[in-house]
Coordinates of all heavy atoms in Angstrom, one line a residue:
M8 N -122.9 7.0 -105.5 CA -122.1 7.5 -106.8 C -122.8 7.0 -108.0 O -123.1 5.7 -108.0 CB -120.7 7.1 -106.7 CG -119.8 7.5 -107.6 SD -118.0 7.1 -107.4 CE -117.3 7.8 -108.7
L9 N -123.1 7.8 -108.9 CA -123.6 7.3 -110.3 C -122.8 6.9 -111.4 O -121.7 7.7 -111.5 CB -124.7 8.4 -110.7 CG -125.8 8.6 -109.7 CD1 -126.7 9.9 -110.3 CD2 -126.7 7.4 -109.3
F10 N -123.1 5.8 -112.0 CA -122.3 5.5 -113.2 C -123.2 5.3 -114.3 O -124.3 4.6 -114.2 CB -121.5 4.1 -112.8 CG -120.3 4.2 -111.9 CD1 -120.7 4.1 -110.5 CD2 -119.1 4.5 -112.3 CE1 -119.6 4.2 -109.6 CE2 -118.1 4.6 -111.4 CZ -118.3 4.4 -109.9
H11 N -122.8 5.8 -115.5 CA -123.4 5.4 -116.7 C -122.8 4.2 -117.4 O -121.5 4.2 -117.4 CB -123.3 6.7 -117.6 CG -123.9 6.5 -119.0 ND1 -123.3 5.8 -119.9 CD2 -125.1 7.0 -119.5 CE1 -124.0 5.9 -121.1 NE2 -125.1 6.6 -120.8
V12 N -123.5 3.2 -117.6 CA -122.9 1.9 -118.1 C -123.7 1.5 -119.4 O -124.9 1.6 -119.5 CB -123.1 0.8 -117.0 CG1 -122.5 -0.5 -117.5 CG2 -122.5 1.2 -115.8
R13 N -122.9 1.2 -120.5 CA -123.3 0.6 -121.6 C -123.0 -0.8 -121.7 O -121.7 -1.0 -121.6 CB -123.0 1.4 -122.9 CG -123.3 0.7 -124.1 CD -122.9 1.4 -125.4 NE -123.3 0.6 -126.6 CZ -123.7 1.1 -127.8 NH1 -123.7 2.4 -128.0 NH2 -123.8 0.3 -128.8
M14 N -123.9 -1.7 -122.0 CA -123.5 -3.1 -122.0 C -124.0 -3.6 -123.5 O -125.1 -3.4 -123.8 CB -124.3 -4.0 -121.0 CG -124.1 -3.6 -119.6 SD -125.1 -4.6 -118.6 CE -125.5 -3.4 -117.2
D15 N -123.0 -4.1 -124.2 CA -123.3 -4.7 -125.5 C -123.1 -6.2 -125.3 O -122.1 -6.6 -125.0 CB -122.4 -4.3 -126.6 CG -122.5 -2.7 -126.9 OD1 -123.6 -2.3 -127.2 OD2 -121.6 -2.0 -126.5
V16 N -124.2 -7.0 -125.8 CA -124.2 -8.4 -125.5 C -124.0 -9.1 -126.8 O -124.7 -8.8 -127.9 CB -125.6 -8.8 -124.9 CG1 -125.5 -10.4 -124.6 CG2 -125.9 -8.1 -123.6
T17 N -123.0 -10.0 -126.9 CA -122.8 -10.8 -128.0 C -122.7 -12.3 -127.5 O -121.6 -12.8 -127.1 CB -121.5 -10.5 -128.7 OG1 -121.5 -9.0 -128.9 CG2 -121.3 -11.2 -130.1
I18 N -123.8 -13.0 -127.7 CA -123.9 -14.4 -127.4 C -123.4 -15.1 -128.5 O -124.1 -15.1 -129.6 CB -125.1 -14.8 -126.8 CG1 -125.5 -14.0 -125.6 CG2 -125.1 -16.4 -126.5 CD1 -127.0 -14.3 -125.0
P19 N -122.4 -16.1 -128.5 CA -121.9 -16.8 -129.7 C -123.1 -17.7 -130.3 O -123.7 -18.4 -129.4 CB -120.8 -17.6 -129.2 CG -120.5 -17.4 -127.8 CD -121.6 -16.4 -127.3
P20 N -123.3 -17.7 -131.5 CA -124.4 -18.5 -132.1 C -124.2 -20.1 -131.8 O -125.2 -20.7 -131.7 CB -124.3 -18.2 -133.6 CG -123.1 -17.4 -133.8 CD -122.6 -17.0 -132.6
E21 N -123.0 -20.5 -131.6 CA -122.7 -21.9 -131.3 C -123.1 -22.3 -129.9 O -123.1 -23.5 -129.5 CB -121.3 -22.3 -131.7 CG -120.2 -21.7 -130.8 CD -119.7 -20.3 -131.4 OE1 -120.4 -19.7 -132.2 OE2 -118.7 -19.8 -131.1
L22 N -123.3 -21.3 -129.0 CA -123.7 -21.7 -127.6 C -125.0 -22.5 -127.6 O -125.9 -22.2 -128.3 CB -123.9 -20.4 -126.7 CG -124.0 -20.6 -125.3 CD1 -122.8 -21.1 -124.7 CD2 -124.6 -19.4 -124.5
D23 N -125.0 -23.6 -126.8 CA -126.1 -24.5 -126.7 C -127.4 -23.7 -126.4 O -127.4 -22.8 -125.4 CB -125.8 -25.5 -125.4 CG -127.0 -26.4 -125.3 OD1 -128.1 -25.9 -125.1 OD2 -126.6 -27.6 -125.4
P24 N -128.5 -23.9 -127.2 CA -129.7 -23.0 -126.9 C -130.2 -23.1 -125.6 O -130.8 -22.1 -125.1 CB -130.7 -23.6 -128.0 CG -129.8 -24.3 -129.1 CD -128.5 -24.8 -128.3
D25 N -130.1 -24.3 -125.0 CA -130.7 -24.4 -123.6 C -129.8 -23.5 -122.6 O -130.4 -23.0 -121.6 CB -130.6 -25.8 -123.1 CG -131.7 -26.7 -123.9 OD1 -132.6 -26.1 -124.5 OD2 -131.4 -27.9 -124.0
V26 N -128.6 -23.6 -122.8 CA -127.6 -22.7 -122.0 C -127.9 -21.3 -122.2 O -128.1 -20.5 -121.2 CB -126.2 -23.0 -122.3 CG1 -125.2 -22.1 -121.5 CG2 -125.8 -24.5 -122.0
R27 N -128.2 -20.9 -123.4 CA -128.5 -19.5 -123.7 C -129.8 -19.1 -123.0 O -129.9 -18.0 -122.4 CB -128.6 -19.3 -125.2 CG -129.0 -17.9 -125.6 CD -129.6 -17.8 -127.0 NE -130.1 -16.6 -127.4 CZ -129.5 -15.5 -128.0 NH1 -128.4 -15.7 -128.5 NH2 -130.2 -14.4 -128.2
T28 N -130.8 -20.0 -123.1 CA -132.2 -19.6 -122.5 C -131.9 -19.5 -121.0 O -132.5 -18.6 -120.4 CB -133.2 -20.7 -122.9 OG1 -133.3 -20.8 -124.3 CG2 -134.5 -20.6 -122.2
R29 N -131.1 -20.5 -120.4 CA -131.0 -20.3 -118.9 C -130.2 -19.1 -118.5 O -130.6 -18.5 -117.6 CB -130.2 -21.6 -118.5 CG -129.9 -21.7 -117.0 CD -129.4 -22.9 -116.5 NE -128.1 -23.3 -117.2 CZ -126.8 -22.7 -117.1 NH1 -126.6 -21.8 -116.2 NH2 -125.9 -23.2 -117.7
L30 N -129.2 -18.8 -119.2 CA -128.4 -17.5 -118.9 C -129.2 -16.2 -119.0 O -129.2 -15.4 -118.1 CB -127.2 -17.4 -119.8 CG -126.1 -18.3 -119.5 CD1 -125.0 -18.3 -120.7 CD2 -125.5 -18.2 -118.2
V31 N -130.0 -16.2 -120.1 CA -130.9 -14.9 -120.3 C -131.9 -14.9 -119.2 O -132.2 -13.8 -118.6 CB -131.5 -15.1 -121.7 CG1 -132.6 -13.9 -121.8 CG2 -130.5 -14.9 -122.8
A32 N -132.4 -16.1 -118.7 CA -133.5 -16.0 -117.7 C -132.8 -15.7 -116.4 O -133.4 -14.9 -115.5 CB -134.2 -17.4 -117.6
E33 N -131.6 -16.1 -116.1 CA -130.9 -15.8 -114.9 C -130.4 -14.4 -114.9 O -130.6 -13.7 -113.9 CB -129.6 -16.7 -114.7 CG -130.0 -18.1 -114.3 CD -128.8 -19.0 -114.5 OE1 -127.6 -18.6 -114.7 OE2 -128.9 -20.3 -114.1
E34 N -130.1 -13.8 -116.0 CA -129.7 -12.3 -116.1 C -131.0 -11.6 -115.8 O -130.8 -10.6 -115.1 CB -129.2 -12.1 -117.6 CG -128.8 -10.7 -117.8 CD -127.5 -10.4 -117.4 OE1 -126.7 -11.2 -117.2 OE2 -127.2 -9.2 -117.2
R35 N -132.1 -11.9 -116.4 CA -133.3 -11.2 -116.1 C -133.6 -11.1 -114.6 O -133.9 -10.0 -114.0 CB -134.4 -11.7 -116.9 CG -135.8 -11.3 -116.6 CD -136.9 -11.8 -117.4 NE -138.2 -11.5 -116.9 CZ -138.8 -10.3 -117.0 NH1 -138.3 -9.2 -117.5 NH2 -140.0 -10.1 -116.3
E36 N -133.6 -12.3 -113.9 CA -133.8 -12.4 -112.5 C -132.9 -11.5 -111.7 O -133.3 -10.8 -110.8 CB -133.7 -13.8 -112.0 CG -135.0 -14.7 -112.4 CD -136.3 -13.9 -112.0 OE1 -136.5 -13.5 -110.8 OE2 -137.1 -13.8 -113.0
R37 N -131.6 -11.6 -112.0 CA -130.6 -10.8 -111.4 C -130.8 -9.2 -111.6 O -130.7 -8.4 -110.7 CB -129.2 -11.2 -111.9 CG -128.1 -10.5 -111.3 CD -127.4 -11.3 -110.2 NE -126.2 -10.7 -109.7 CZ -126.1 -10.0 -108.6 NH1 -127.3 -10.1 -107.8 NH2 -125.1 -9.4 -108.2
A38 N -131.0 -8.9 -112.8 CA -131.4 -7.6 -113.1 C -132.6 -7.1 -112.3 O -132.6 -5.8 -111.8 CB -131.6 -7.4 -114.7
L39 N -133.7 -7.8 -112.2 CA -134.9 -7.4 -111.5 C -134.5 -7.3 -110.0 O -134.9 -6.3 -109.4 CB -135.9 -8.5 -111.7 CG -136.6 -8.4 -113.0 CD1 -137.5 -9.6 -113.2 CD2 -137.3 -7.2 -113.4
D40 N -133.7 -8.2 -109.5 CA -133.3 -8.1 -108.1 C -132.5 -6.9 -107.8 O -132.8 -6.2 -106.8 CB -132.4 -9.3 -107.5 CG -133.2 -10.5 -107.5 OD1 -134.5 -10.4 -107.3 OD2 -132.7 -11.6 -107.4
L41 N -131.6 -6.5 -108.6 CA -130.8 -5.4 -108.5 C -131.4 -4.0 -108.6 O -131.2 -3.1 -107.9 CB -129.5 -5.4 -109.4 CG -128.5 -6.4 -109.1 CD1 -127.5 -6.7 -110.3 CD2 -127.8 -6.2 -107.8
Q42 N -132.6 -4.1 -109.5 CA -133.4 -2.9 -109.6 C -134.2 -2.7 -108.4 O -134.3 -1.6 -107.8 CB -134.4 -3.0 -110.9 CG -133.6 -2.9 -112.1 CD -134.5 -3.2 -113.3 OE1 -135.3 -2.4 -113.8 NE2 -134.3 -4.4 -113.9
R43 N -134.8 -3.8 -107.8 CA -135.5 -3.7 -106.5 C -134.7 -3.3 -105.5 O -135.1 -2.5 -104.6 CB -136.1 -5.2 -106.3 CG -137.2 -5.5 -107.2 CD -137.8 -6.9 -106.7 NE -138.7 -7.4 -107.8 CZ -138.4 -8.5 -108.4 NH1 -137.3 -9.2 -108.2 NH2 -139.1 -9.0 -109.4
S44 N -133.4 -3.7 -105.5 CA -132.5 -3.2 -104.4 C -132.1 -1.7 -104.5 O -131.5 -1.2 -103.5 CB -131.2 -4.2 -104.3 OG -130.3 -3.8 -105.2
G45 N -132.3 -1.1 -105.6 CA -132.0 0.3 -105.7 C -130.7 0.6 -106.4 O -130.4 1.8 -106.7
V46 N -129.8 -0.3 -106.5 CA -128.5 0.0 -107.1 C -128.5 0.0 -108.6 O -127.6 0.6 -109.4 CB -127.4 -1.2 -106.8 CG1 -127.3 -1.1 -105.2 CG2 -127.7 -2.5 -107.3
W47 N -129.6 -0.3 -109.3 CA -129.8 -0.3 -110.8 C -131.0 0.4 -111.2 O -132.0 -0.1 -111.6 CB -129.8 -1.7 -111.4 CG -129.6 -1.9 -112.8 CD1 -129.6 -0.9 -113.9 CD2 -129.2 -3.2 -113.5 NE1 -129.3 -1.4 -115.0 CE2 -129.1 -2.8 -114.9 CE3 -128.9 -4.4 -113.1 CZ2 -128.7 -3.8 -115.8 CZ3 -128.6 -5.4 -114.0 CH2 -128.6 -5.0 -115.4
P48 N -131.0 1.8 -111.0 CA -132.3 2.6 -111.0 C -132.8 2.8 -112.5 O -133.9 3.2 -112.7 CB -131.9 4.0 -110.3 CG -130.5 4.1 -110.4 CD -129.9 2.6 -110.4
Q49 N -131.9 2.8 -113.5 CA -132.3 3.0 -114.8 C -131.7 1.9 -115.8 O -130.5 1.5 -115.6 CB -131.7 4.3 -115.3 CG -132.1 5.5 -114.6 CD -133.5 6.1 -115.1 OE1 -133.6 6.0 -116.3 NE2 -134.3 6.5 -114.3
L50 N -132.6 1.4 -116.7 CA -132.3 0.3 -117.5 C -133.0 0.5 -118.9 O -134.3 0.5 -118.8 CB -132.6 -1.0 -117.0 CG -132.5 -2.2 -118.0 CD1 -131.1 -2.4 -118.4 CD2 -132.8 -3.6 -117.2
W51 N -132.3 0.8 -119.9 CA -132.9 1.2 -121.1 C -132.3 0.3 -122.3 O -131.1 0.1 -122.3 CB -132.7 2.6 -121.6 CG -133.3 3.6 -120.6 CD1 -132.6 4.2 -119.5 CD2 -134.6 4.1 -120.5 NE1 -133.5 5.1 -118.8 CE2 -134.7 5.0 -119.5 CE3 -135.7 3.9 -121.4 CZ2 -135.9 5.7 -119.1 CZ3 -136.9 4.5 -121.1 CH2 -137.0 5.4 -120.1
R52 N -133.1 -0.1 -123.2 CA -132.7 -0.9 -124.4 C -132.2 0.3 -125.4 O -132.9 1.2 -125.5 CB -133.9 -1.7 -125.0 CG -133.6 -2.5 -126.2 CD -132.5 -3.5 -126.1 NE -132.9 -4.7 -125.4 CZ -132.1 -5.3 -124.5 NH1 -130.9 -4.9 -124.3 NH2 -132.6 -6.5 -124.0
I53 N -131.2 -0.1 -126.1 CA -130.8 0.8 -127.2 C -131.5 0.3 -128.5 O -131.4 -0.9 -128.8 CB -129.2 0.7 -127.5 CG1 -128.5 1.3 -126.1 CG2 -128.9 1.5 -128.7 CD1 -127.1 1.2 -126.3
V54 N -132.2 1.2 -129.1 CA -133.1 0.6 -130.2 C -132.2 0.0 -131.3 O -131.2 0.4 -131.7 CB -133.7 1.8 -130.8 CG1 -134.6 1.5 -132.1 CG2 -134.7 2.6 -129.8
G55 N -132.7 -1.2 -131.6 CA -132.2 -2.0 -132.8 C -130.9 -2.8 -132.3 O -130.2 -3.2 -133.3
K56 N -130.5 -2.7 -131.0 CA -129.4 -3.4 -130.7 C -129.6 -4.3 -129.5 O -130.5 -4.0 -128.7 CB -128.2 -2.6 -130.4 CG -127.7 -1.7 -131.4 CD -126.6 -0.8 -130.9 CE -126.0 0.0 -132.1 NZ -125.3 -0.8 -133.2
Y57 N -128.8 -5.4 -129.2 CA -128.9 -6.3 -128.1 C -127.9 -5.5 -127.0 O -126.8 -6.0 -126.8 CB -128.4 -7.6 -128.4 CG -128.7 -8.7 -127.2 CD1 -129.3 -8.2 -126.1 CD2 -128.4 -10.0 -127.3 CE1 -129.6 -9.1 -125.0 CE2 -128.7 -10.9 -126.3 CZ -129.3 -10.4 -125.2 OH -129.5 -11.4 -124.1
S58 N -128.3 -4.4 -126.7 CA -127.4 -3.5 -125.8 C -128.3 -2.7 -124.9 O -129.4 -2.5 -125.2 CB -126.7 -2.5 -126.7 OG -126.0 -3.1 -127.7
N59 N -127.8 -2.2 -123.8 CA -128.5 -1.4 -122.9 C -127.6 -0.2 -122.4 O -126.5 -0.3 -122.3 CB -129.1 -2.2 -121.8 CG -128.1 -2.6 -120.8 OD1 -127.6 -1.8 -120.1 ND2 -127.7 -4.0 -120.7
I60 N -128.4 0.7 -122.0 CA -127.8 1.9 -121.3 C -128.3 1.9 -119.9 O -129.5 1.7 -119.8 CB -128.1 3.3 -121.9 CG1 -127.5 3.4 -123.3 CG2 -127.7 4.4 -121.0 CD1 -126.0 3.6 -123.3
S61 N -127.5 1.9 -118.9 CA -128.0 1.7 -117.5 C -127.3 2.8 -116.6 O -126.3 3.3 -117.0 CB -127.6 0.4 -116.9 OG -128.2 -0.7 -117.6
I62 N -128.1 3.2 -115.6 CA -127.4 3.9 -114.5 C -127.4 3.0 -113.3 O -128.4 2.4 -112.9 CB -128.3 5.2 -114.1 CG1 -128.5 6.1 -115.4 CG2 -127.7 6.0 -113.0 CD1 -127.1 6.8 -116.0
F63 N -126.2 3.0 -112.6 CA -126.0 2.3 -111.5 C -125.7 3.3 -110.4 O -125.0 4.2 -110.5 CB -124.8 1.3 -111.5 CG -125.2 0.0 -112.3 CD1 -125.1 0.0 -113.8 CD2 -125.7 -1.1 -111.6 CE1 -125.5 -1.2 -114.3 CE2 -126.0 -2.3 -112.3 CZ -125.9 -2.2 -113.8
D64 N -126.2 3.0 -109.2 CA -126.0 3.9 -108.1 C -125.4 3.1 -106.9 O -126.0 2.4 -106.2 CB -127.3 4.4 -107.5 CG -127.2 5.5 -106.4 OD1 -126.0 5.7 -106.0 OD2 -128.2 6.0 -106.0
V65 N -124.0 3.2 -106.9 CA -123.3 2.3 -106.0 C -122.2 3.2 -105.2 O -122.0 4.4 -105.6 CB -122.6 1.2 -106.7 CG1 -123.5 0.0 -107.2 CG2 -121.6 1.6 -107.9
T66 N -121.5 2.7 -104.4 CA -120.5 3.4 -103.6 C -119.3 3.7 -104.2 O -118.6 4.7 -104.2 CB -120.4 2.8 -102.2 OG1 -121.6 2.6 -101.6 CG2 -119.6 3.7 -101.2
T67 N -118.8 2.6 -104.9 CA -117.4 2.7 -105.4 C -117.3 1.9 -106.8 O -118.2 1.2 -107.1 CB -116.3 2.0 -104.6 OG1 -116.7 0.6 -104.5 CG2 -116.3 2.6 -103.2
G68 N -116.2 2.3 -107.5 CA -116.0 1.6 -108.7 C -115.8 0.1 -108.5 O -116.2 -0.8 -109.3
D69 N -115.1 -0.2 -107.5 CA -114.9 -1.7 -107.0 C -116.2 -2.4 -106.8 O -116.5 -3.4 -107.4 CB -114.1 -1.8 -105.8 CG -112.6 -1.5 -106.0 OD1 -112.2 -1.4 -107.2 OD2 -112.0 -1.3 -105.0
E70 N -117.3 -1.7 -106.2 CA -118.5 -2.4 -105.9 C -119.2 -2.6 -107.4 O -119.7 -3.6 -107.6 CB -119.4 -1.4 -105.1 CG -120.8 -2.1 -104.9 CD -121.8 -1.1 -104.1 OE1 -121.3 -0.1 -103.5 OE2 -122.9 -1.4 -104.1
L71 N -119.1 -1.6 -108.2 CA -119.7 -1.7 -109.6 C -119.0 -2.9 -110.3 O -119.7 -3.7 -110.9 CB -119.7 -0.5 -110.4 CG -120.2 -0.5 -111.7 CD1 -121.8 -0.8 -111.7 CD2 -119.9 0.8 -112.6
H72 N -117.7 -2.9 -110.2 CA -117.1 -4.1 -111.0 C -117.5 -5.4 -110.5 O -117.9 -6.3 -111.3 CB -115.5 -3.9 -110.9 CG -114.9 -4.9 -111.7 ND1 -114.9 -4.9 -112.9 CD2 -114.2 -6.1 -111.3 CE1 -114.2 -6.1 -113.5 NE2 -113.9 -6.8 -112.3
T73 N -117.6 -5.6 -109.2 CA -118.0 -6.8 -108.6 C -119.4 -7.2 -109.0 O -119.7 -8.2 -109.5 CB -118.1 -6.7 -107.1 OG1 -116.6 -6.4 -106.6 CG2 -118.6 -7.9 -106.3
L74 N -120.3 -6.2 -109.1 CA -121.7 -6.4 -109.4 C -121.7 -6.7 -111.0 O -122.4 -7.8 -111.3 CB -122.5 -5.0 -109.2 CG -124.0 -4.9 -109.3 CD1 -124.5 -3.8 -108.5 CD2 -124.4 -4.8 -110.8
L75 N -121.1 -6.0 -111.8 CA -121.1 -6.2 -113.3 C -120.6 -7.5 -113.6 O -121.1 -8.3 -114.4 CB -120.4 -5.2 -114.0 CG -121.1 -3.8 -114.0 CD1 -120.1 -2.7 -114.7 CD2 -122.5 -3.8 -114.6
S76 N -119.5 -7.9 -112.9 CA -118.8 -9.2 -113.2 C -119.5 -10.4 -112.6 O -119.3 -11.5 -113.0 CB -117.4 -9.3 -112.8 OG -117.2 -9.0 -111.5
S77 N -120.6 -10.1 -111.8 CA -121.4 -11.2 -111.3 C -122.6 -11.5 -112.2 O -123.4 -12.5 -111.9 CB -122.0 -10.9 -109.9 OG -123.0 -9.9 -109.9
L78 N -122.9 -10.7 -113.3 CA -124.0 -10.9 -114.1 C -123.8 -12.2 -115.0 O -122.7 -12.4 -115.5 CB -124.2 -9.7 -115.0 CG -124.5 -8.4 -114.4 CD1 -124.6 -7.2 -115.4 CD2 -125.9 -8.3 -113.6
P79 N -124.8 -12.9 -115.1 CA -124.8 -14.2 -115.9 C -124.3 -14.1 -117.3 O -123.6 -14.8 -117.8 CB -126.1 -14.7 -115.7 CG -126.7 -14.2 -114.5 CD -126.1 -12.8 -114.4
L80 N -124.6 -12.9 -117.9 CA -124.2 -12.7 -119.3 C -122.9 -11.9 -119.4 O -122.4 -11.6 -120.5 CB -125.3 -12.0 -120.0 CG -126.5 -12.7 -120.3 CD1 -127.5 -11.8 -121.1 CD2 -126.3 -14.0 -121.2
F81 N -122.2 -11.7 -118.3 CA -121.0 -10.9 -118.2 C -119.9 -11.5 -119.2 O -119.2 -10.7 -120.0 CB -120.4 -10.8 -116.7 CG -119.1 -10.1 -116.7 CD1 -119.0 -8.8 -116.7 CD2 -117.9 -10.7 -116.6 CE1 -117.8 -8.0 -116.6 CE2 -116.7 -10.1 -116.5 CZ -116.6 -8.7 -116.5
P82 N -119.8 -12.8 -119.3 CA -118.7 -13.3 -120.1 C -119.0 -12.9 -121.7 O -118.2 -13.0 -122.5 CB -118.8 -14.8 -120.1 CG -119.5 -15.0 -118.7 CD -120.4 -13.8 -118.5
Y83 N -120.3 -12.5 -122.0 CA -120.7 -12.2 -123.4 C -120.9 -10.7 -123.6 O -121.5 -10.4 -124.6 CB -121.9 -13.0 -123.7 CG -121.7 -14.5 -123.5 CD1 -122.3 -15.1 -122.5 CD2 -120.8 -15.3 -124.2 CE1 -122.1 -16.6 -122.2 CE2 -120.6 -16.5 -124.0 CZ -121.3 -17.2 -123.0 OH -121.1 -18.5 -122.7
M84 N -120.5 -9.9 -122.6 CA -120.7 -8.5 -122.7 C -119.4 -7.7 -122.9 O -118.3 -8.0 -122.4 CB -121.4 -7.9 -121.4 CG -122.6 -8.4 -121.1 SD -123.2 -7.6 -119.5 CE -124.9 -8.2 -119.4
T85 N -119.6 -6.6 -123.8 CA -118.6 -5.6 -123.8 C -119.2 -4.3 -123.0 O -120.3 -4.0 -123.3 CB -118.3 -5.1 -125.2 OG1 -117.8 -6.2 -125.9 CG2 -117.2 -4.0 -125.2
I86 N -118.5 -4.0 -122.0 CA -119.1 -3.0 -121.1 C -118.2 -1.7 -121.1 O -116.9 -1.7 -121.0 CB -119.1 -3.5 -119.6 CG1 -120.0 -4.8 -119.6 CG2 -119.7 -2.5 -118.7 CD1 -120.1 -5.5 -118.2
E87 N -118.9 -0.6 -121.2 CA -118.2 0.8 -121.1 C -118.8 1.5 -119.9 O -120.1 1.6 -119.8 CB -118.5 1.5 -122.5 CG -117.5 2.7 -122.6 CD -117.9 3.3 -123.9 OE1 -117.7 2.7 -125.0 OE2 -118.4 4.4 -124.0
V88 N -118.1 2.0 -119.1 CA -118.5 2.6 -117.8 C -117.9 4.1 -117.8 O -116.8 4.5 -118.1 CB -117.8 2.0 -116.5 CG1 -118.4 2.6 -115.3 CG2 -118.4 0.5 -116.5
T89 N -118.9 5.0 -117.4 CA -118.6 6.4 -117.2 C -119.0 6.8 -115.9 O -120.2 6.7 -115.6 CB -119.3 7.4 -118.3 OG1 -119.0 6.9 -119.6 CG2 -118.8 8.7 -118.3
A90 N -118.1 7.4 -115.1 CA -118.4 7.9 -113.8 C -119.1 9.2 -113.9 O -118.6 10.1 -114.7 CB -117.2 8.0 -112.8
L91 N -120.2 9.5 -113.1 CA -120.9 10.8 -113.3 C -120.8 11.6 -112.0 O -120.7 11.2 -111.0 CB -122.4 10.5 -113.5 CG -122.8 9.6 -114.7 CD1 -124.3 9.3 -114.6 CD2 -122.4 10.3 -116.0
A92 N -120.6 12.9 -112.3 CA -120.5 13.9 -111.1 C -121.6 14.9 -111.4 O -122.3 15.0 -112.5 CB -119.2 14.6 -111.2
T93 N -122.0 15.7 -110.4 CA -123.1 16.7 -110.4 C -122.6 17.8 -111.4 O -121.4 18.4 -111.3 CB -123.3 17.3 -109.2 OG1 -123.7 16.2 -108.3 CG2 -124.5 18.2 -109.2
H94 N -123.4 18.3 -112.4 CA -123.2 19.3 -113.3 C -123.4 20.7 -112.5 O -124.5 20.7 -111.9 CB -123.9 19.2 -114.5 CG -123.5 20.1 -115.6 ND1 -123.6 21.5 -115.6 CD2 -122.7 19.8 -116.8 CE1 -123.1 22.0 -116.6 NE2 -122.5 21.0 -117.4
P95 N -122.5 21.6 -112.7 CA -122.7 22.8 -111.9 C -123.9 23.6 -112.3 O -124.4 24.5 -111.5 CB -121.4 23.7 -112.1 CG -120.7 23.0 -113.2 CD -121.2 21.6 -113.2
S96 N -124.3 23.4 -113.6 CA -125.5 24.2 -114.0 C -126.8 23.4 -113.9 O -127.9 23.9 -114.4 CB -125.3 24.5 -115.5 OG -124.1 25.2 -115.8
K97 N -126.8 22.2 -113.2 CA -128.0 21.5 -113.1 C -129.0 22.3 -112.2 O -128.5 22.7 -111.1 CB -127.7 20.1 -112.5 CG -128.9 19.3 -112.3 CD -128.6 17.9 -111.9 CE -129.7 17.0 -111.3 NZ -131.0 17.3 -111.9
L98 N -130.2 22.4 -112.7 CA -131.3 23.0 -111.8 C -131.7 22.1 -110.8 O -132.0 21.0 -110.9 CB -132.5 23.3 -112.7 CG -133.7 24.0 -112.1 CD1 -133.3 25.4 -111.7 CD2 -134.8 24.0 -113.1
M99 N -131.6 22.6 -109.5 CA -131.8 21.8 -108.3 C -133.4 21.9 -108.0 O -133.9 23.1 -108.1 CB -131.1 22.1 -107.1 CG -129.5 21.8 -107.2 SD -129.3 20.1 -107.5 CE -127.5 20.0 -108.1
P100 N -134.0 20.8 -107.6 CA -135.4 20.9 -107.3 C -135.7 21.8 -106.0 O -134.8 22.1 -105.2 CB -135.9 19.5 -106.9 CG -134.5 18.8 -106.6 CD -133.4 19.5 -107.3
Ligands
MUC375 O1 -130.7 -7.5 -122.1 C1 -129.6 -7.0 -121.8 O2 -129.4 -5.8 -122.2 C2 -128.6 -7.6 -121.0 C3 -128.9 -7.7 -119.7 C4 -129.2 -6.5 -119.0 C5 -130.4 -6.7 -118.3 C6 -131.0 -8.0 -118.6 O3 -131.9 -8.4 -118.2 O4 -130.0 -8.6 -119.5

């Protein structure tokens, strides 16, 4: 099941710079692992924002929630999720 996910990241300026650097590095490693595993097939930066648009390929909304809430930057994200279904007019290969 595919989900369209927008993540807006707001890290408070008062957060310790070392903690920020560590969290961003951990987030990157986790994002790369999840992409390699196939559950995060699309990851795009939104131009001009500390935000991304992603496609996740998971079995349930519960699985997606578990995954998103495990991201190191989750406490600093506003996340909007849209479940996707097949469009009846989509050209099939
Ligand atoms: O940078 C972001 O958009 C937040 C998050 C998503 C992937 C990643 O590496 O960090």
Side-chain angles (χ1 to χ4, degrees):
M8 186 174 182
L9 297 178
F10 290 88
H11 176 279
V12 178
R13 174 176 173 150
M14 301 176 217
D15 297 295
V16 184
T17 308
I18 301 177
E21 63 272 18
L22 188 69
D23 182 301
D25 291 341
V26 174
R27 180 195 167 103
T28 300
R29 180 175 52 77
L30 286 173
V31 169
E33 289 174 358
E34 179 79 21
R35 175 177 160 75
E36 285 311 308
R37 181 98 175 103
L39 291 171
D40 284 347
L41 291 168
Q42 287 171 79
R43 289 186 196 106
S44 80
V46 299
W47 196 342
Q49 296 274 324
L50 170 60
W51 296 95
R52 177 64 76 217
I53 298 177
V54 174
K56 294 182 178 293
Y57 192 0
S58 305
N59 72 73
I60 294 286
S61 294
I62 300 292
F63 283 87
D64 187 356
V65 292
T66 308
T67 63
D69 285 347
E70 182 184 348
L71 180 62
H72 182 76
T73 300
L74 190 157
L75 292 174
S76 57
S77 75
L78 295 175
L80 288 178
F81 178 77
Y83 307 109
M84 288 177 176
T85 301
I86 301 178
E87 194 179 295
V88 176
T89 306
L91 301 176
T93 304
H94 195 289
S96 301
K97 180 174 169 28
L98 183 65
M99 293 301 172

